[in-house]
């Protein structure tokens, strides 16, 4: 089965070549779809150079900055694989975890797999960010009568037709609660596997802010009660 790896990118020139090397090293039949969200650094130039020597890589560039969710949607529209996963362009998540994420789907056991940082090895996570993640996950479990440990994880792998059926609309980081809420609301079970996580600091370019948790709460309520 072909795996479509969607990589949203915004000003990630410092880590881009390293993460692409790690993704390519994974021994799974895959394609790479990198979406540059109108970066102001050398991200787009690096992506074009990398794609020039990699026929399995597609590069998309947004004419203006639209957010991670918009980048995920742009990549999803071009995906050819039966399974899709989103890979952040930094080095927080390890592509070696693809094997554990993809195997349950490829074997026909489940259709949706989340990689949980709280079940695996992790370091560098800020206390308030971790507490916020726990709170958002608790709210998810409460609203949707499920039991998962990491709603905000980047590693959400699923059959491509399922992700397309979600009809995603978020432009920013609300894409994470939207995906989770719509997956659960459509009756899909989420299978969790442990993944490793090496959190970066805000000085290193971390973009997730604690204030975004408020918008995630609103998104969960919206997709549970109205949409």
């Amino acid at each position: 089965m072909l795996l479509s790896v969607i990589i949203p990118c915004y000003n990630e020139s410092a880590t881009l070549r390293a993460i692409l090397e790690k993704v390519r090293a994974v021994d799974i039949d895959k394609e790479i779809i990198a979406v540059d969200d109108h970066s102001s650094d050398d991200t787009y130039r690096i992506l074009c150079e990398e794609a020039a020597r990699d026929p399995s890589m597609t590069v998309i560039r947004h004419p203006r900055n639209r957010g991670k969710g918009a980048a995920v949607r742009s990549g999803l529209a071009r995906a050819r694989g039966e399974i899709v996963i989103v890979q952040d362009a930094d080095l927080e998540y390890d592509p070696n975890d693809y094997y554990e994420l993809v195997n349950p789907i490829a074997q026909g056991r489940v259709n949706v797999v989340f990689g949980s940082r709280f079940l695996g090895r992790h370091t560098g996570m800020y206390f308030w960010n971790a507490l916020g993640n726990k709170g958002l996950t608790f709210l998810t479990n409460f609203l949707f009568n499920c039991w998962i440990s990491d709603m905000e994880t980047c590693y959400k792998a699923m059959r491509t037709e399922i992700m397309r059926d979600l009809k995603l609309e978020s432009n920013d980081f609300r894409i994470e609660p939207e995906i989770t809420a719509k997956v659960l609301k459509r009756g899909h079970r989420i299978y969790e596997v442990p993944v490793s996580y090496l959190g970066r600091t805000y000085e290193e370019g971390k973009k997730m802010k604690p204030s975004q948790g408020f918008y995630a709460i609103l998104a969960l309520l919206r997709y549970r009660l109205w949409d």
Side-chain angles (χ1 to χ4, degrees), residues 68 85-88 93 115 117 152-157 176:
K68 180 179 180 179
I85 191 170
V86 177
Q87 171 70 57
D88 282 349
Y93 290 85
R117 295 165 291 178
E152 284 280 357
T153 179
C154 166
Y155 275 171
K156 296 176 170 71
E176 306 295 359

Side-chain angles (χ1 to χ4, degrees), residues 86-101:
V86 177
Q87 171 70 57
D88 282 349
D90 53 34
L91 297 171
E92 291 188 329
Y93 290 85
D94 186 354
N96 281 313
D97 289 322
Y98 288 0
Y99 302 107
E100 292 294 324
L101 289 156

